[in-house]
Amino acid sequence: MVYLTPEEIKHYPIDPMPAADADRRAIVRERMESVGQWSPRQQLGNRMAIGCVALEITQRCNLDCTCCYLSEHSEAVRDLPLPEVFRRIDTITSYYGPGTAVQITGGDPTLRKKSELVEIVRRVRESGLRPSLFTNGIKATRPYLQELAAAGLADVAFHVDLTQERKGYATEVELNEVRQEYIENARGTGISVFFNFTVTEQSFHEIPELVRFYIRNADMVKTASFQLQADTGRGTDRERGSLISQASVRSQIEQGAGTSIDFDASPVGHSSCNRYAMCFEINGKLYNGLDDSDFVSRIVASGDTEWDAYTKLAPASAALRWIKDHPGDLLPAARYMGRLVWKARADLLASRGRVNRISFFLHNFMDACHLEPDRIKSCSFYTVTRDGPVSMCLANAKRDDYILQPVKLETGAGKPVFWQPLSGDLHDEEGVVQELDPTAHPLSRLKGRSRALVWREREREKARAATARSASAGGGPAAG
Ligand code: SF4
């Protein structure tokens, strides 16, 4: 396998901004074709110009995950000024157009002032994009979520797993208590619930039980995302165990689902990066929703219907709209529905027709020093930086290049100023990004590896001092 070299990573070009009237899906379609990942069932290029874009509104976090992808310097970086956040929202719109899924993330975005977060959510929604909040959930109480829902929040994605080392929870099953609390916080707000989960060797065996939890809560949980541990960022648990692969995680999910699930029916981006499956939960049982490849191709190729809208009934009304716009597909649609209804007839009767949709997503981030050029070229998950959107894997491989950059702010008085990420000061000149020693930050601003390093050094110093004390008390060096 050939990987991008450090020089190539450093100078990787930013995608050019498309013309206002450009066919944005055609641009990505061409990329998918160039890396051999195109098919009529490929969602990227058919239904969407990008899978989603991360909008990192703070680099700070109130947890210290063992697999954290953030930089060692993150806690020392000030929150991006609001005008720059708004400019980046406009950038997303210009690149990918309306309907784009925007992950409002960080760090943990709830560490920003709530009034600012509300403004950001509103701005994303008013720009015609789909705002989702990515959070560990600690500060996302019910009134908090209600306020964000009123501002237009569409989804909340809770990250809950053992890598966060939440006190009092030794297993993933025990953490279901936290997940349940978060679900109840979102219930009735109109916000869709996602869960993010980092797969490590420690948690791998609990995936089936976790999937059963999601199925029991399928009335609220719309997407369960599994992210395979990768060697990137400041986290202390870096190397992926040999147990973990796309295939092994899929099989764990299927074990929990109690049925086989098709993760290949409708790709979203590069097959080495993502796997997607959509199921229906009926009477506590899962039914594969993508089991008819001809019908899936027709839906995906039609491209223009918004299936994932904001209300529970929206997918049903989207289906009716789709049939009206594609009368030639009425027969395949009826065949698809008929087969599902027949297969699930007993459960449909038992549930009185209640059906919930739940999607499973596998995301396979690359190690920072093993970036595959084809996957970067056809990336479906970008983060928006000062200079424009960048593949998340690429950004993770050189995070400091982005978070320590001074940011140009227009003052309206003709001459811009430059915001400095470490001090928050405004300078007339841009200045240069300095080489920094992460361990030089105060301990309160250290996380991950640098915190562990400083901590170890302090412990060693304490041990040395104790040895010296006992040596001087005993008149000679201590034994051992
Ligand atoms: S972020 Fe990385 S793993 Fe995810 S789609 Fe992009 S290149 Fe693939």
Side-chain angles (χ1 to χ4, degrees), residues 201 229-231 236-242 244 367:
E201 288 213 325
Q229 173 184 30
D231 186 354
T236 50
D237 186 9
R238 310 170 65 78
E239 207 175 315
R240 184 180 294 180
S242 56
I244 300 168
D367 291 345

mmCIF file of all heavy atoms in Angstrom, residues 201 229-231 236-242 244 367:
data_model
loop_
_atom_site.group_PDB
_atom_site.id
_atom_site.type_symbol
_atom_site.label_atom_id
_atom_site.label_comp_id
_atom_site.label_asym_id
_atom_site.label_seq_id
_atom_site.Cartn_x
_atom_site.Cartn_y
_atom_site.Cartn_z
ATOM 1 N N GLU A 201 -10.633 -2.932 21.645
ATOM 2 C CA GLU A 201 -10.670 -4.351 22.035
ATOM 3 C C GLU A 201 -11.419 -4.521 23.355
ATOM 4 O O GLU A 201 -12.022 -5.546 23.605
ATOM 5 C CB GLU A 201 -9.248 -4.898 22.149
ATOM 6 C CG GLU A 201 -8.639 -5.052 20.771
ATOM 7 C CD GLU A 201 -7.684 -6.228 20.677
ATOM 8 O OE1 GLU A 201 -7.005 -6.504 21.663
ATOM 9 O OE2 GLU A 201 -7.625 -6.834 19.588
ATOM 10 N N GLN A 229 -11.290 2.385 16.306
ATOM 11 C CA GLN A 229 -10.122 3.027 16.920
ATOM 12 C C GLN A 229 -9.031 3.271 15.861
ATOM 13 O O GLN A 229 -8.786 2.402 15.018
ATOM 14 C CB GLN A 229 -9.615 2.047 17.967
ATOM 15 C CG GLN A 229 -8.341 2.351 18.657
ATOM 16 C CD GLN A 229 -7.982 1.185 19.587
ATOM 17 O OE1 GLN A 229 -8.330 0.035 19.307
ATOM 18 N NE2 GLN A 229 -7.309 1.482 20.670
ATOM 19 N N ALA A 230 -8.396 4.449 15.907
ATOM 20 C CA ALA A 230 -7.328 4.752 14.944
ATOM 21 C C ALA A 230 -6.193 5.478 15.658
ATOM 22 O O ALA A 230 -6.402 6.125 16.685
ATOM 23 C CB ALA A 230 -7.875 5.615 13.819
ATOM 24 N N ASP A 231 -5.012 5.379 15.067
ATOM 25 C CA ASP A 231 -3.831 5.980 15.679
ATOM 26 C C ASP A 231 -3.703 7.429 15.224
ATOM 27 O O ASP A 231 -3.060 7.740 14.226
ATOM 28 C CB ASP A 231 -2.597 5.165 15.266
ATOM 29 C CG ASP A 231 -1.348 5.637 15.988
ATOM 30 O OD1 ASP A 231 -1.425 6.655 16.710
ATOM 31 O OD2 ASP A 231 -0.306 4.993 15.830
ATOM 32 N N THR A 236 -4.341 8.222 24.420
ATOM 33 C CA THR A 236 -3.285 7.338 24.932
ATOM 34 C C THR A 236 -3.449 5.906 24.434
ATOM 35 O O THR A 236 -2.523 5.118 24.506
ATOM 36 C CB THR A 236 -3.317 7.325 26.475
ATOM 37 O OG1 THR A 236 -4.666 7.076 26.878
ATOM 38 C CG2 THR A 236 -2.849 8.647 27.051
ATOM 39 N N ASP A 237 -4.646 5.565 23.943
ATOM 40 C CA ASP A 237 -4.917 4.199 23.488
ATOM 41 C C ASP A 237 -4.986 4.252 21.963
ATOM 42 O O ASP A 237 -6.031 4.526 21.382
ATOM 43 C CB ASP A 237 -6.266 3.746 24.080
ATOM 44 C CG ASP A 237 -6.547 2.289 23.760
ATOM 45 O OD1 ASP A 237 -5.645 1.606 23.253
ATOM 46 O OD2 ASP A 237 -7.673 1.844 24.017
ATOM 47 N N ARG A 238 -3.857 3.985 21.301
ATOM 48 C CA ARG A 238 -3.757 4.375 19.903
ATOM 49 C C ARG A 238 -3.818 3.208 18.930
ATOM 50 O O ARG A 238 -4.456 3.293 17.902
ATOM 51 C CB ARG A 238 -2.456 5.147 19.692
ATOM 52 C CG ARG A 238 -2.317 6.253 20.719
ATOM 53 C CD ARG A 238 -0.957 6.859 20.673
ATOM 54 N NE ARG A 238 -0.724 7.519 19.424
ATOM 55 C CZ ARG A 238 -1.191 8.705 19.098
ATOM 56 N NH1 ARG A 238 -1.950 9.353 19.952
ATOM 57 N NH2 ARG A 238 -0.926 9.258 17.937
ATOM 58 N N GLU A 239 -3.127 2.145 19.286
ATOM 59 C CA GLU A 239 -2.975 1.090 18.290
ATOM 60 C C GLU A 239 -4.215 0.212 18.215
ATOM 61 O O GLU A 239 -4.692 -0.279 19.248
ATOM 62 C CB GLU A 239 -1.762 0.230 18.647
ATOM 63 C CG GLU A 239 -1.163 -0.398 17.416
ATOM 64 C CD GLU A 239 0.103 -1.149 17.770
ATOM 65 O OE1 GLU A 239 0.931 -0.601 18.525
ATOM 66 O OE2 GLU A 239 0.231 -2.277 17.304
ATOM 67 N N ARG A 240 -4.724 0.018 16.990
ATOM 68 C CA ARG A 240 -5.932 -0.791 16.834
ATOM 69 C C ARG A 240 -5.605 -2.259 17.070
ATOM 70 O O ARG A 240 -4.660 -2.799 16.494
ATOM 71 C CB ARG A 240 -6.487 -0.606 15.419
ATOM 72 C CG ARG A 240 -7.782 -1.331 15.208
ATOM 73 C CD ARG A 240 -8.309 -1.134 13.810
ATOM 74 N NE ARG A 240 -8.677 0.246 13.548
ATOM 75 C CZ ARG A 240 -9.161 0.668 12.378
ATOM 76 N NH1 ARG A 240 -9.306 -0.179 11.378
ATOM 77 N NH2 ARG A 240 -9.469 1.933 12.202
ATOM 78 N N GLY A 241 -6.406 -2.897 17.906
ATOM 79 C CA GLY A 241 -6.179 -4.315 18.188
ATOM 80 C C GLY A 241 -6.517 -5.179 16.979
ATOM 81 O O GLY A 241 -7.310 -4.780 16.125
ATOM 82 N N SER A 242 -5.934 -6.361 16.929
ATOM 83 C CA SER A 242 -6.105 -7.211 15.753
ATOM 84 C C SER A 242 -7.535 -7.735 15.628
ATOM 85 O O SER A 242 -7.954 -8.176 14.567
ATOM 86 C CB SER A 242 -5.126 -8.378 15.817
ATOM 87 O OG SER A 242 -5.339 -9.067 17.028
ATOM 88 N N ILE A 244 -10.129 -5.974 15.647
ATOM 89 C CA ILE A 244 -11.044 -4.963 15.099
ATOM 90 C C ILE A 244 -10.847 -4.750 13.609
ATOM 91 O O ILE A 244 -9.767 -4.377 13.151
ATOM 92 C CB ILE A 244 -10.850 -3.620 15.847
ATOM 93 C CG1 ILE A 244 -11.158 -3.830 17.322
ATOM 94 C CG2 ILE A 244 -11.730 -2.531 15.270
ATOM 95 C CD1 ILE A 244 -10.726 -2.679 18.169
ATOM 96 N N ASP A 367 -5.064 5.731 10.294
ATOM 97 C CA ASP A 367 -3.982 6.190 11.161
ATOM 98 C C ASP A 367 -3.342 7.425 10.509
ATOM 99 O O ASP A 367 -3.222 7.489 9.275
ATOM 100 C CB ASP A 367 -2.914 5.103 11.309
ATOM 101 C CG ASP A 367 -3.430 3.918 12.116
ATOM 102 O OD1 ASP A 367 -4.465 4.062 12.783
ATOM 103 O OD2 ASP A 367 -2.774 2.858 12.070
#
